[in-house]
Amino acid sequence: MPLYEVEKSVIVLDIGTSFTKFGFTSEPAPRSIYRTQVKSKGQIRELWDYRDAQDLYDMLVDFFHDIYFKYALNSPKDKPIVIVESLLCPIIFRETLAKVLYKHYGVSSILLLSSHLVSLAPLAIDTALVLDVGYKEAVCIPVCYGMPMIHAWQALNLGSQTIHKHLQMLLNEKNSGAQNLSEMTLEDIKVRCCFVTKKSRAQQLQTLKPQIEMCPEIKYPVKGSTTISVCGTTREKAYEILFDEDADHLCLPTMILDALMKVNIDLKHQLAENIVLIGGTTMAMGFKSRLKEELLCHSKEERYKKLNIKCFKFHTSPSKENYAAWLGGAIYGSTDCLNTKAIQRRNILKKRNYLIGRI
Ligand SMILES: Nc1ncnc2c1ncn2[C@@H]1O[C@H](COP(=O)(O)OP(=O)(O)OP(=O)(O)O)[C@@H](O)[C@H]1O
Ligand SMILES: [Mg+2]
């Protein structure tokens, strides 16, 4: 392919811990968002629950087989592919992924993009503080003039997985008849019944006799006529785990403030006024306003006083937050980056390993 010609309909993938976003470059939304699972030997397994490199290799072969021959319906041979991944993605995953794509499927090149960086493309900005709250963890990385500030990154195990565990604990406490619910049921209860409440209500809910009017109970149907009662307190408290400080006094808002503490003083205010939220968990009702409330409250603490920030502003992404990074990948993939920055198979095959770099 000549250097000046940009390939049409290149696959763009964001392989999240729980959901994979699949689509093509130059399109405004993914064609499909489905669970990151692989059916191997008659068993459905989570892709990220691999035992070792060989196990991951085998699973990725099956995973990409579905992508090319079930979703994309085209041959991978000599075609480029765009992969969006977190800056904290383990090396073993990246290396095995490259091996599968170059060696097994014979793709011509891979354009590997950092999810935090490319999420800014749909907003057409180059400086922002990006907070990704997905399934497994929350990762906060400031991006300044198109460069992710790796030294300032913050990560905590605060994603949907933690919320689901907390929700199960709350349901058990209330004896709602819901023991050991599956991850999918907990997720459904969370999305349909729970919401992020206001800080003042959250404080009241921690007292023995809350002086507030409780929100109504919901009967959630499971298995035909059986129902689980999700009481008002559970509905409001499910997301509180994100805002409760742990033993090290860390929580979601402190991650943002800690990241700001680590960047150059000239950029602090600019970043605080350009916060970009990505990841499905940030789509929860009331999430943004509560985060803002918490940020204003925590910024008054002694440890963050020297930040001297009085205003926090959030961007509204043109897409849904759960595929904001995918959309950034689709934009990058439709530019000249695909020809100039993608790693070509011919160059990789000359090397001994498959470790590839990303933008
Ligand atoms: N409208 C919504 N309200 C609340 N939660 C939601 C909503 N939509 C999606 N989610 C949650 O977002 C989570 C998935 O988010 P996302 O797709 O960003 O995760 P991921 O990319 O697979 O995970 P990670 O980035 O940690 O690897 C799911 O657990 C889902 O329950
Ligand atoms: Mg993700």
Side-chain angles (χ1 to χ4, degrees), residues 14 16 21 132:
D14 175 1
K21 296 87 185 169
D132 180 0

Side-chain angles (χ1 to χ4, degrees), residues 100-131:
V100 168
L101 287 169
Y102 288 126
K103 207 171 126 186
H104 191 93
Y105 286 103
V107 299
S108 62
S109 60
I110 303 176
L111 178 62
L112 207 57
L113 301 165
S114 142
S115 55
H116 286 76
L117 173 66
V118 297
S119 305
L120 304 190
L123 295 161
I125 54 171
D126 63 359
T127 301
L129 196 141
V130 186
L131 176 67

Side-chain angles (χ1 to χ4, degrees), residues 23-73:
F24 294 97
T25 51
S26 318
E27 291 189 354
R31 294 265 179 111
S32 180
I33 299 180
Y34 52 90
R35 293 204 174 261
T36 312
Q37 291 173 332
V38 179
K39 196 172 176 190
S40 72
K41 295 169 195 149
Q43 210 190 348
I44 294 180
R45 289 179 60 197
E46 301 291 326
L47 179 68
W48 289 87
D49 286 348
Y50 52 89
R51 287 188 287 272
D52 49 33
Q54 186 55 48
D55 186 37
L56 177 61
Y57 185 93
D58 296 341
M59 284 211 280
L60 279 171
V61 167
D62 293 334
F63 182 74
F64 278 102
H65 186 275
D66 277 358
I67 285 174
Y68 282 110
F69 303 113
K70 188 171 153 192
Y71 295 101
L73 301 177

